[in-house]
Amino acid sequence: MEFDKLVKSQVSVYDNISKLLLNYKKTGKERLTKGFVEARMEMADKYWDKFEQQHNTLLSAEPEYQQKSEYFTKDIYEQCFDNYLDLKTRMKEKLNSFECTQPSSVAVNNSTTEQSLCPNMKLPPIQFSTFSGDYRDWLSFRDVFKSLVHDNTSLSNVNKCQYLKSSLRGEAENLVKQIAVSEVNYEIMWEMLNNRYNNKRSIVNTYIGKLFNLKRIQTESAKNIREILDVTTECLAVLKSIGLPTESWDDIVVYTIIQKLDIESHRMFEQRLESNDKLPTWNEPV
């Protein structure tokens, strides 16, 4: 069967990439010249291009075949990608080190300091939260990911694709599970997530539901009151950010929140009102 032959070829390519990584780790520093690293990087790229091309073909196999094949059940693609990415990262960092010049003396304010002229210093990774498909988390995840990864011109689409896949969980992960990590698939994956979760109606319903479904406080508690205030502030801020006229909702919001207070807190609120003719606003202290 044609797919069986492709799977055998994939396993062979996977073994070749794994051996390249293992041998690279064992290589002594004196042998890690620029030419040595570049030659092995070229070989690794050729292996990966073949692996990814064959993987895309295998994705067209019937679901029954994919469910039975160890290639899919053992997630050989992800294992191979991890090894390739590990190897490529090690080799790129080594090549970058060849581009760095030795520290030179630079006069600053009549004093001498040591300044590194290497533009490729490795910075600590920036962590961002994962997204599992909850509409309440989408806007925050989208904006952070867009700022750190999507709009980052120093990252290739392959890198962005891998970052995106690794940051998804649950329903969101399943949505793009069958899409291979590649240069061309990143935009497809990002658009799919935006089409599913950048849904104004669903986001509005989620936050209005969160606002009106707050649990009522049974006994006087400053902590619980702060929690109600925080949740309400969050909901109103999100709804306002997507264009809803929340500034005109004061009467409804205040009434809703008052109904969530315990009896004693509700009584104290009423006592602090200066007049029954003046309606309290959300942002106005009472």
Side-chain angles (χ1 to χ4, degrees), residues 123-139:
L123 298 175
I126 300 176
Q127 301 293 331
F128 46 85
S129 59
T130 58
F131 176 65
S132 62
D134 190 330
Y135 284 99
R136 290 173 296 182
D137 301 327
W138 167 248
L139 294 177

Side-chain angles (χ1 to χ4, degrees), residues 16-29 31-34 36-41 44 83 86-98:
N16 288 334
I17 291 178
S18 299
K19 288 176 183 176
L20 268 180
L21 174 60
L22 181 62
N23 291 334
Y24 186 85
K25 289 179 178 179
K26 292 180 179 179
T27 303
K29 291 182 179 181
R31 292 190 60 200
L32 290 176
T33 63
K34 185 176 182 182
F36 179 94
V37 176
E38 286 178 340
R40 279 148 185 80
M41 181 181 286
N83 285 348
D86 187 4
L87 176 61
K88 193 73 178 281
T89 300
R90 291 171 184 269
M91 292 190 292
K92 276 196 169 186
E93 288 177 351
K94 187 62 181 177
L95 289 176
N96 286 342
S97 70
F98 293 130

